[in-house]
Amino acid sequence: MVSYKELGLVNSRAMFAKAVKGGYAIPAYNFNNMEQLQAIIQACVETRSPVILQVSSGARKYANATMLRYMAQGAVAYAKELGYPIPIVLHLDHGDSFELCKDCIENGFSSVMIDGSHRPYDENVALTKKVVEFAHTYDVTVEGELGILAGIEDEVSAEHSTYTQPEEVIDFVTKTGVDSLAISIGTSHGATKFKPEQCTRSANGVLIPPPLRFDILEAIEKKLPGFPIVLHGASSVPMDFVGIINRYGGAMKDAVGIPEDQLRKAAKSAVCKINIDSDARIAMTALVRKVLAEHPGEFDPRKYLGPAREALKELLKRKNTEVLGSAGQA
Ligand code: G3H
Ligand code: 13P
Ligand code: ZN
């Protein structure tokens, strides 16, 4: 058993309480490798932002559980070395079983998500409650989910989104004891969040997605005043990077994300954790494609992963400062 406390990590409880009161959201950035982790820590230290380092089960298989534990410990030390020890959470993203959550808790995670959103309601309650009971004995915080996002959630696929039903949230939170609740109000995972026919087109051909269901968010907030709400699928899919990818041999057709003004609005509400993965993937891929296309003889990974890391860092700094409002809150 390795406790997250030995690694210098924190759980999300105090972080969320402060964010809900302060009207901003904590960035929850997914990572799979060293360059992504370095970019996240550099960006959050430079903007003085707390951060949630997020690992999917796929990322855990890719990076290895033991490596991840030391990477998280390294991230804490690295932030200190950079001159500002920000609070860091290590969080399991979309945990799909009690066993996976338990394994993460026993290997240094300070927070886990148990995603029973695709199961029947009573099963979701029972599974989430079981994880909460185990996690809380180790002072680990737990995120549950109600409602299904359209698109791919790790290995769980949901063809159509089912919005969270505000009538269910009090019962779910009371019965399970979760510390935060992920909801479905129109976001979805990946880089093509909406079909072109669901969007309108601006004069210059840019796809404009349908707005998020802020009415549902408000109804949930009324039912659970001050309770931490989580927004998944919150990448904006920046068109400048998508353009670079397409210019240098990529094929990201009809990519469309959540407009930043909507995320800003959500961050000012009870939404206190905003999940971003695709944007980081897009920024890194854009730079890797560009460097390799411009320098076809290059074969040193540092020469293309270095610029990719730098682009990612700048993107995340901007998000913390201009979208989530977490800058200066560490
Ligand atoms: O919500 C899912 C995350 O973007 C993780 O994706 O399972 O491909 O690592 P992944
Ligand atoms: P994006 O695909 O919009 O980045 O969402 C990531 C996410 O929700 C991870 O849980
Ligand atoms: Zn997600």
Side-chain angles (χ1 to χ4, degrees):
M1 167 85 199
V2 182
S3 163
Y4 69 87
K5 293 179 185 173
E6 293 164 42
L7 306 183
L9 300 161
V10 296
N11 68 26
S12 62
R13 199 169 289 122
M15 218 182 244
F16 284 169
K18 196 168 167 248
V20 171
K21 265 202 197 124
Y24 61 91
I26 312 285
Y29 296 133
N30 289 68
F31 78 101
N32 301 270
N33 64 28
M34 182 186 76
E35 282 79 7
Q36 288 174 317
L37 183 56
Q38 288 172 322
I40 296 168
I41 295 301
Q42 289 167 8
C44 292
V45 166
E46 286 179 29
T47 55
R48 307 287 192 252
S49 170
V51 69
I52 296 173
L53 300 173
Q54 208 159 247
V55 176
S56 70
S57 62
R60 200 160 179 259
K61 280 186 206 130
Y62 177 81
N64 177 273
T66 307
M67 284 293 288
L68 274 173
R69 183 220 303 169
Y70 288 105
M71 285 170 87
Q73 191 171 20
V76 172
Y78 184 42
K80 267 192 207 139
E81 184 188 310
L82 290 173
Y84 203 84
I86 53 172
I88 300 175
V89 169
L90 180 64
H91 175 77
L92 170 67
D93 191 24
H94 295 288
D96 60 357
S97 68
F98 172 78
E99 291 70 29
L100 175 61
C101 293
K102 180 173 179 284
D103 197 42
C104 286
I105 292 164
E106 289 173 343
N107 282 283
F109 281 63
S110 60
S111 173
V112 293
M113 173 188 194
I114 178 69
D115 180 359
S117 63
H118 50 284
R119 296 170 189 251
Y121 180 79
D122 289 340
E123 244 182 67
N124 187 2
V125 169
L127 176 62
T128 306
K129 184 174 187 292
K130 188 175 171 190
V131 171
V132 169
E133 280 169 2
F134 182 80
H136 282 183
T137 55
Y138 296 99
D139 202 19
V140 166
T141 38
V142 180
E143 175 183 325
E145 180 166 343
L146 267 183
I148 303 172
L149 272 67
I152 303 292
E153 288 191 344
D154 224 345
E155 279 147 25
V156 181
S157 159
E159 224 203 326
H160 302 292
S161 136
T162 311
Y163 297 124
T164 306
Q165 294 174 34
E167 310 76 58
E168 287 182 346
V169 297
I170 296 179
D171 186 67
F172 185 80
V173 164
T174 316
K175 282 188 180 152
T176 60
V178 279
D179 302 282
S180 60
L181 180 68
I183 60 164
S184 171
I185 57 165
T187 60
S188 81
H189 292 103
T192 308
K193 298 192 183 297
F194 306 94
K195 297 193 185 95
E197 54 269 29
Q198 293 175 281
C199 304
T200 50
R201 264 189 208 274
S202 71
N204 53 355
V206 176
L207 290 172
I208 302 168
L212 298 182
R213 291 291 303 271
F214 282 99
D215 56 323
I216 298 178
L217 175 59
E218 275 162 31
I220 292 169
E221 280 191 69
K222 273 204 190 109
K223 301 267 183 196
L224 296 172
F227 191 80
I229 300 298
V230 178
L231 204 57
H232 282 248
S235 277
S236 295
V237 188
M239 282 305 135
D240 46 350
F241 286 124
V242 172
I244 295 174
I245 289 175
N246 289 337
R247 201 171 321 130
Y248 291 100
M252 288 189 69
K253 206 176 158 274
D254 296 330
V256 59
I258 310 296
E260 288 186 346
D261 60 336
Q262 302 216 12
L263 296 172
R264 222 172 278 133
K265 184 172 166 188
K268 286 184 182 143
S269 72
V271 170
C272 66
K273 172 175 180 271
I274 289 192
N275 285 14
I276 295 166
D277 186 357
S278 297
D279 283 358
R281 297 177 179 195
I282 292 168
M284 290 194 87
T285 301
L287 267 289
V288 170
R289 278 193 177 278
K290 182 172 188 289
V291 173
L292 290 180
E294 287 174 349
H295 306 277
E298 190 53 72
F299 63 94
D300 179 345
R302 293 171 295 185
K303 295 285 166 42
Y304 49 86
L305 292 178
R309 178 176 65 190
E310 191 58 27
L312 176 55
K313 176 180 120 175
E314 291 309 318
L315 176 82
L316 302 183
K317 280 174 73 172
R318 217 185 67 74
K319 281 189 187 290
N320 292 351
T321 311
E322 291 173 29
V323 185
L324 309 189
S326 64
Q329 302 291 349

